[in-house]
Amino acid sequence: MEKELLVYIDGSYHPKSQAKISVFDHGLLYGDGIFEGIRAYNGSVFKLKEHVDRLYRSAHMIMLEIPMTKEHIIQAVLETLRKNNLKDSYIRLVITRGVGDLGLNPTLCAKPTIIIITDTIALHKVEAKEKGVTAMLSWVKRDPVDATSHEIKSLNYLNSILAKIEANIAGVDEAICLDKNGFICEGVAENIFIAKNGKLFTPPSYTGALPGITAEEVTKLARRLGHEVKEKNITPYELFNAEEAFFTGTGAEIIPVVEINKRIINSGKPGPITKRLMAEFSKVVLDPKEGTAIYK
Ligand code: PMP
């Protein structure tokens, strides 16, 4: 029998089938918690420090004090990967408010629960990278920055899940959320870019989008390739008439979007800038300088 993956919970390791937390944990009862999705490529964790920094920013926003230093969290992630003998993995680092009572008051939770899952993820069909995905603008607006916006990478993902349900019903691969003002915000777990006249545009985080670590890296790569990249409000009209559109995210990596609400994006095939960025991105994730080695 294949050995079960081990899951880190509060400093100890449990086989996947027995990795359990209390039903009184406020992460479950109220979605009160934060997380990061991180990837390891060929023995090194891509942008681990950046993910841990963002985790602490989310924690700061919800006034959750993580009872570990950033360095301890980094070491715990690396140790979990080593215990599972993984060189390539999707890592889910979760911190909940912890066990409390049935009231939502977070001050009654004694200590946060810390969970590290190292596994794999498949968000899209294998051919998605080559052929692109279809998407729809959803009626579900992204929660704005004066609510539970995705700026906070919280355990409350109903906003995205509602949008994904609509995409499932419509028979398309992905949903795109608009912001409160009708501008494009982001995908359900991805940032979005469009290309026009050799320039790239992406919505700013004040639309309620998560400031993506992949988006930041893709912005750097695109600038290095000579493309101007600007954050700006993007209208549905601009999205439908883009020369190229693509999603970025840790899980998704870079995924071309070729059709939105039945409007074909340009040729209906992944565009040249998208393809070039995908090629560059697949090199950068393997660059040891960009990651933290699992095995020293
Ligand atoms: N937006 C949302 C809502 C997400 O959940 C994610 C995935 N973390 C992203 C964007 C992409 O962010 P990143 O590139 O940091 O994974």
Side-chain angles (χ1 to χ4, degrees), residues 271-291:
I273 301 177
T274 311
K275 286 208 281 203
R276 185 78 201 277
L277 286 169
M278 289 167 77
E280 292 300 314
F281 186 74
S282 64
K283 281 189 239 159
V284 94
V285 295
L286 295 174
D287 182 347
K289 284 198 307 295
E290 303 290 345

Side-chain angles (χ1 to χ4, degrees), residues 164-186:
K164 183 75 181 179
I165 288 170
E166 291 307 310
N168 291 344
I169 292 169
V172 296
D173 299 312
E174 279 303 333
I176 297 166
C177 289
L178 303 176
D179 72 7
K180 209 171 152 185
N181 299 309
F183 295 111
I184 307 304
C185 181
E186 61 176 351

Side-chain angles (χ1 to χ4, degrees), residues 24-92:
F24 289 92
D25 195 296
H26 279 208
L28 170 70
L29 289 178
Y30 294 111
D32 186 357
I34 51 172
F35 77 100
E36 281 295 319
I38 313 167
R39 265 189 197 267
Y41 295 90
N42 194 32
S44 119
V45 186
F46 186 60
K47 304 279 175 196
L48 180 55
K49 184 180 174 305
E50 286 78 355
H51 281 282
V52 171
D53 284 343
R54 187 170 67 184
L55 180 79
Y56 274 73
R57 289 197 298 274
S58 295
H60 183 66
M61 174 70 179
I62 69 163
M63 299 187 87
L64 186 157
E65 206 169 312
I66 300 175
M68 276 169 97
T69 63
K70 287 185 183 177
E71 188 48 35
H72 279 133
I73 294 266
I74 286 173
Q75 289 311 323
V77 169
L78 297 175
E79 187 54 24
T80 310
L81 288 161
R82 280 187 218 116
K83 281 218 187 296
N84 287 311
N85 206 12
L86 291 168
K87 284 169 85 185
D88 292 277
S89 175
Y90 177 82
I91 303 151
R92 181 57 60 88

Side-chain angles (χ1 to χ4, degrees), residues 54 150 153 157 186 188-191 210 212-215 248-250:
R54 187 170 67 184
H150 274 343
K153 202 160 168 51
Y157 257 55
E186 61 176 351
V188 296
E190 301 89 14
N191 295 108
L210 177 78
I213 289 169
T214 317
T248 64
T250 298

Side-chain angles (χ1 to χ4, degrees), residues 19-254:
K20 294 178 180 147
I21 60 161
S22 165
V23 291
F24 289 92
D25 195 296
H26 279 208
L28 170 70
L29 289 178
Y30 294 111
D32 186 357
I34 51 172
F35 77 100
E36 281 295 319
I38 313 167
R39 265 189 197 267
Y41 295 90
N42 194 32
S44 119
V45 186
F46 186 60
K47 304 279 175 196
L48 180 55
K49 184 180 174 305
E50 286 78 355
H51 281 282
V52 171
D53 284 343
R54 187 170 67 184
L55 180 79
Y56 274 73
R57 289 197 298 274
S58 295
H60 183 66
M61 174 70 179
I62 69 163
M63 299 187 87
L64 186 157
E65 206 169 312
I66 300 175
M68 276 169 97
T69 63
K70 287 185 183 177
E71 188 48 35
H72 279 133
I73 294 266
I74 286 173
Q75 289 311 323
V77 169
L78 297 175
E79 187 54 24
T80 310
L81 288 161
R82 280 187 218 116
K83 281 218 187 296
N84 287 311
N85 206 12
L86 291 168
K87 284 169 85 185
D88 292 277
S89 175
Y90 177 82
I91 303 151
R92 181 57 60 88
L93 170 56
V94 184
I95 317 237
T96 77
R97 188 75 66 180
V99 175
D101 64 17
L102 290 179
L104 63 73
N105 189 351
T107 58
L108 299 178
C109 299
K111 65 171 181 54
T113 306
I114 302 177
I115 301 163
I116 304 168
I117 305 169
T118 53
D119 207 331
T120 54
I121 197 167
L123 290 186
H124 298 102
K125 300 181 281 235
V126 268
E127 62 271 23
K129 288 231 160 88
E130 240 171 78
K131 293 193 178 148
V133 293
T134 57
M136 66 179 291
L137 297 181
S138 156
W139 60 263
V140 184
K141 299 282 191 330
R142 176 58 81 235
D143 285 337
V145 289
D146 53 354
T148 46
S149 88
H150 274 343
E151 272 181 301
I152 316 167
K153 202 160 168 51
S154 83
L155 293 180
N156 188 334
Y157 257 55
L158 260 191
N159 188 249
S160 279
I161 290 164
L162 280 176
K164 183 75 181 179
I165 288 170
E166 291 307 310
N168 291 344
I169 292 169
V172 296
D173 299 312
E174 279 303 333
I176 297 166
C177 289
L178 303 176
D179 72 7
K180 209 171 152 185
N181 299 309
F183 295 111
I184 307 304
C185 181
E186 61 176 351
V188 296
E190 301 89 14
N191 295 108
I192 189 163
F193 286 76
I194 61 168
K196 190 101 193 179
N197 299 326
K199 294 182 185 150
L200 291 177
F201 303 99
T202 190
S205 63
Y206 59 69
T207 55
L210 177 78
I213 289 169
T214 317
E216 193 181 347
E217 187 57 34
V218 165
T219 299
K220 250 198 268 169
L221 290 176
R223 287 190 177 136
R224 213 176 293 153
L225 295 174
H227 301 287
E228 198 182 308
V229 186
K230 258 176 78 177
E231 282 190 2
K232 82 168 201 81
N233 281 332
I234 298 168
T235 64
Y237 173 91
E238 288 172 307
L239 178 62
F240 292 144
N241 287 294
E243 284 159 11
E244 302 182 33
F246 61 87
F247 287 131
T248 64
T250 298
E253 301 173 303
I254 302 175

